Short mmCIF file of all heavy atoms in Angstrom, two decimals:
data_model
loop_
_atom_site.label_atom_id
_atom_site.label_comp_id
_atom_site.label_asym_id
_atom_site.label_seq_id
_atom_site.Cartn_x
_atom_site.Cartn_y
_atom_site.Cartn_z
N ARG B 37 -2.38 36.96 3.94
CA ARG B 37 -1.28 37.74 4.37
C ARG B 37 0.04 37.10 3.84
O ARG B 37 -0.01 35.87 3.43
CB ARG B 37 -1.17 37.92 5.88
CG ARG B 37 -2.31 38.66 6.37
CD ARG B 37 -2.21 38.87 7.90
NE ARG B 37 -1.11 39.65 8.34
CZ ARG B 37 -0.90 40.00 9.56
NH1 ARG B 37 -1.78 39.66 10.50
NH2 ARG B 37 0.16 40.62 9.88
N ASN B 39 2.87 36.02 5.07
CA ASN B 39 3.46 34.79 5.71
C ASN B 39 2.56 33.66 5.59
O ASN B 39 3.00 32.48 5.55
CB ASN B 39 3.84 35.04 7.15
CG ASN B 39 5.12 35.79 7.23
OD1 ASN B 39 5.90 35.82 6.33
ND2 ASN B 39 5.49 36.21 8.43
N GLN B 50 10.90 33.11 0.56
CA GLN B 50 10.37 34.60 0.64
C GLN B 50 10.72 35.37 -0.55
O GLN B 50 9.85 36.12 -1.15
CB GLN B 50 11.04 35.23 1.90
CG GLN B 50 10.42 36.44 2.34
CD GLN B 50 11.01 36.99 3.63
OE1 GLN B 50 12.33 36.85 3.80
NE2 GLN B 50 10.17 37.45 4.56
N THR B 54 7.90 36.99 -3.12
CA THR B 54 7.89 38.46 -3.25
C THR B 54 7.94 38.80 -4.73
O THR B 54 7.17 39.56 -5.25
CB THR B 54 9.06 39.15 -2.56
OG1 THR B 54 9.04 38.83 -1.13
CG2 THR B 54 8.92 40.62 -2.68
N ARG B 58 4.93 40.64 -6.97
CA ARG B 58 5.15 41.92 -7.54
C ARG B 58 4.79 41.88 -9.02
O ARG B 58 4.14 42.89 -9.53
CB ARG B 58 6.64 42.36 -7.45
CG ARG B 58 7.15 42.72 -6.00
CD ARG B 58 6.46 44.10 -5.46
NE ARG B 58 6.88 44.13 -4.08
CZ ARG B 58 6.26 43.66 -3.05
NH1 ARG B 58 5.10 42.87 -3.33
NH2 ARG B 58 6.57 43.69 -1.83
N ARG B 68 -2.65 44.54 -3.60
CA ARG B 68 -1.83 44.53 -2.32
C ARG B 68 -2.30 45.67 -1.39
O ARG B 68 -2.22 46.85 -1.94
CB ARG B 68 -0.34 44.67 -2.80
CG ARG B 68 0.63 44.69 -1.64
CD ARG B 68 2.06 44.66 -2.13
NE ARG B 68 3.02 44.67 -1.18
CZ ARG B 68 3.68 45.86 -0.75
NH1 ARG B 68 3.44 47.01 -1.42
NH2 ARG B 68 4.55 45.90 0.14
N PRO B 76 3.88 45.33 10.80
CA PRO B 76 3.13 45.52 9.55
C PRO B 76 2.18 44.42 9.21
O PRO B 76 2.31 43.22 9.68
CB PRO B 76 4.34 45.54 8.52
CG PRO B 76 5.57 45.59 9.29
CD PRO B 76 5.33 45.14 10.67
N TYR B 80 -2.86 40.36 0.54
CA TYR B 80 -2.91 40.05 -0.86
C TYR B 80 -4.30 39.47 -1.23
O TYR B 80 -4.82 38.66 -0.53
CB TYR B 80 -1.82 39.15 -1.23
CG TYR B 80 -0.50 39.78 -1.20
CD1 TYR B 80 0.28 39.60 -0.07
CD2 TYR B 80 0.04 40.48 -2.35
CE1 TYR B 80 1.60 40.16 0.05
CE2 TYR B 80 1.31 41.11 -2.18
CZ TYR B 80 2.11 40.96 -1.09
OH TYR B 80 3.24 41.51 -0.99
P DC C 1 5.15 37.42 12.84
OP1 DC C 1 3.98 36.63 12.59
OP2 DC C 1 6.50 36.80 12.56
"O5'" DC C 1 5.03 38.71 12.12
"C5'" DC C 1 3.77 39.41 12.03
"C4'" DC C 1 3.85 40.43 10.91
"O4'" DC C 1 5.01 41.24 10.99
"C3'" DC C 1 3.93 39.77 9.54
"O3'" DC C 1 2.93 40.27 8.66
"C2'" DC C 1 5.48 39.90 9.03
"C1'" DC C 1 5.77 41.19 9.88
N1 DC C 1 7.26 41.23 10.36
C2 DC C 1 7.99 42.43 10.04
O2 DC C 1 7.41 43.33 9.37
N3 DC C 1 9.27 42.40 10.47
C4 DC C 1 9.70 41.38 11.14
N4 DC C 1 11.06 41.60 11.67
C5 DC C 1 8.96 40.32 11.46
C6 DC C 1 7.71 40.21 11.02
P DG C 2 2.68 39.74 7.24
OP1 DG C 2 1.36 40.25 6.83
OP2 DG C 2 3.11 38.27 7.26
"O5'" DG C 2 3.76 40.60 6.34
"C5'" DG C 2 3.70 41.89 6.28
"C4'" DG C 2 4.88 42.46 5.51
"O4'" DG C 2 6.07 42.33 6.33
"C3'" DG C 2 5.04 41.81 4.19
"O3'" DG C 2 5.37 42.75 3.21
"C2'" DG C 2 6.34 40.94 4.60
"C1'" DG C 2 7.05 41.85 5.46
N9 DG C 2 8.06 41.17 6.23
C8 DG C 2 8.08 39.84 6.68
N7 DG C 2 9.24 39.65 7.33
C5 DG C 2 9.96 40.78 7.38
C6 DG C 2 11.19 41.15 7.92
O6 DG C 2 12.04 40.44 8.47
N1 DG C 2 11.61 42.46 7.65
C2 DG C 2 10.83 43.37 6.98
N2 DG C 2 11.25 44.55 6.81
N3 DG C 2 9.62 43.10 6.39
C4 DG C 2 9.21 41.81 6.69
P DG C 3 5.31 42.30 1.66
OP1 DG C 3 5.43 43.53 0.81
OP2 DG C 3 4.14 41.48 1.48
"O5'" DG C 3 6.54 41.26 1.46
"C5'" DG C 3 7.72 41.73 0.75
"C4'" DG C 3 8.47 42.75 1.60
"O4'" DG C 3 8.82 42.17 2.81
"C3'" DG C 3 9.76 43.16 0.84
"O3'" DG C 3 9.56 44.15 -0.08
"C2'" DG C 3 10.71 43.51 1.99
"C1'" DG C 3 10.03 42.71 3.24
N9 DG C 3 10.87 41.75 3.80
C8 DG C 3 10.48 40.41 3.95
N7 DG C 3 11.43 39.71 4.55
C5 DG C 3 12.48 40.58 4.79
C6 DG C 3 13.68 40.37 5.45
O6 DG C 3 14.06 39.27 5.85
N1 DG C 3 14.55 41.48 5.50
C2 DG C 3 14.07 42.74 5.02
N2 DG C 3 14.90 43.77 5.06
N3 DG C 3 12.91 42.93 4.44
C4 DG C 3 12.15 41.78 4.30
P DT C 4 10.38 44.34 -1.38
OP1 DT C 4 9.56 45.02 -2.40
OP2 DT C 4 10.82 42.91 -1.65
"O5'" DT C 4 11.65 45.19 -1.16
"C5'" DT C 4 12.44 44.92 -0.08
"C4'" DT C 4 13.63 45.73 0.06
"O4'" DT C 4 14.43 45.12 1.14
"C3'" DT C 4 14.57 45.69 -1.11
"O3'" DT C 4 15.56 46.76 -1.13
"C2'" DT C 4 15.27 44.33 -0.84
"C1'" DT C 4 15.46 44.25 0.55
N1 DT C 4 15.17 42.85 1.11
C2 DT C 4 16.13 42.33 1.99
O2 DT C 4 17.18 42.84 2.10
N3 DT C 4 15.91 41.06 2.37
C4 DT C 4 14.71 40.29 2.16
O4 DT C 4 14.66 39.14 2.56
C5 DT C 4 13.81 40.95 1.29
C7 DT C 4 12.59 40.23 1.01
C6 DT C 4 13.97 42.17 0.81
P DA C 5 16.52 46.94 -2.33
OP1 DA C 5 16.80 48.40 -2.51
OP2 DA C 5 16.03 46.29 -3.51
"O5'" DA C 5 17.85 46.17 -1.79
"C5'" DA C 5 18.36 46.40 -0.51
"C4'" DA C 5 19.72 45.68 -0.32
"O4'" DA C 5 19.56 44.40 0.18
"C3'" DA C 5 20.44 45.56 -1.73
"O3'" DA C 5 21.84 45.84 -1.49
"C2'" DA C 5 20.23 44.13 -2.05
"C1'" DA C 5 19.98 43.45 -0.63
N9 DA C 5 19.14 42.30 -0.63
C8 DA C 5 18.05 42.19 -1.23
N7 DA C 5 17.36 41.10 -0.99
C5 DA C 5 18.29 40.40 -0.15
C6 DA C 5 18.13 39.03 0.47
N6 DA C 5 17.15 38.25 0.34
N1 DA C 5 19.24 38.63 1.12
C2 DA C 5 20.21 39.56 1.26
N3 DA C 5 20.45 40.74 0.81
C4 DA C 5 19.35 41.16 0.04
P DT C 6 22.83 45.87 -2.69
OP1 DT C 6 23.83 46.95 -2.46
OP2 DT C 6 22.13 45.82 -3.97
"O5'" DT C 6 23.62 44.44 -2.53
"C5'" DT C 6 24.10 44.13 -1.20
"C4'" DT C 6 24.60 42.68 -1.18
"O4'" DT C 6 23.52 41.80 -1.02
"C3'" DT C 6 25.30 42.29 -2.43
"O3'" DT C 6 26.61 41.90 -2.13
"C2'" DT C 6 24.43 41.12 -3.00
"C1'" DT C 6 23.69 40.61 -1.73
N1 DT C 6 22.50 39.89 -2.07
C2 DT C 6 22.21 38.68 -1.34
O2 DT C 6 23.07 38.16 -0.61
N3 DT C 6 21.08 38.13 -1.61
C4 DT C 6 20.06 38.59 -2.44
O4 DT C 6 19.05 38.00 -2.67
C5 DT C 6 20.42 39.85 -3.12
C7 DT C 6 19.45 40.45 -4.08
C6 DT C 6 21.53 40.46 -2.91
P DC C 7 27.67 41.63 -3.32
OP1 DC C 7 28.89 42.26 -2.90
OP2 DC C 7 27.04 41.81 -4.66
"O5'" DC C 7 27.93 39.96 -3.09
"C5'" DC C 7 27.96 39.39 -1.74
"C4'" DC C 7 27.67 37.95 -1.97
"O4'" DC C 7 26.29 37.73 -2.21
"C3'" DC C 7 28.41 37.25 -3.16
"O3'" DC C 7 29.11 36.05 -2.62
"C2'" DC C 7 27.26 36.87 -4.01
"C1'" DC C 7 26.13 36.72 -3.12
N1 DC C 7 24.65 36.76 -3.67
C2 DC C 7 23.73 35.82 -3.34
O2 DC C 7 24.07 34.96 -2.55
N3 DC C 7 22.62 35.92 -3.90
C4 DC C 7 22.37 36.92 -4.78
N4 DC C 7 21.06 37.00 -5.31
C5 DC C 7 23.29 37.92 -5.11
C6 DC C 7 24.46 37.81 -4.61
P DC C 8 30.19 35.38 -3.58
OP1 DC C 8 31.39 35.29 -2.91
OP2 DC C 8 30.12 36.06 -4.88
"O5'" DC C 8 29.48 33.90 -3.74
"C5'" DC C 8 28.81 33.33 -2.62
"C4'" DC C 8 27.81 32.29 -3.16
"O4'" DC C 8 26.69 33.01 -3.67
"C3'" DC C 8 28.42 31.47 -4.32
"O3'" DC C 8 28.46 30.08 -3.86
"C2'" DC C 8 27.40 31.65 -5.41
"C1'" DC C 8 26.13 32.29 -4.85
N1 DC C 8 25.31 33.09 -5.52
C2 DC C 8 23.99 32.75 -5.69
O2 DC C 8 23.58 31.64 -5.22
N3 DC C 8 23.07 33.58 -6.51
C4 DC C 8 23.69 34.64 -7.00
N4 DC C 8 22.84 35.40 -7.76
C5 DC C 8 25.06 35.04 -6.77
C6 DC C 8 25.81 34.26 -6.13
#
Side-chain angles (χ1 to χ4, degrees):
Chain B
R37 295 180 65 174
N39 278 348
Q50 194 175 41
T54 304
R58 292 289 174 278
R68 178 171 179 264
Y80 290 93

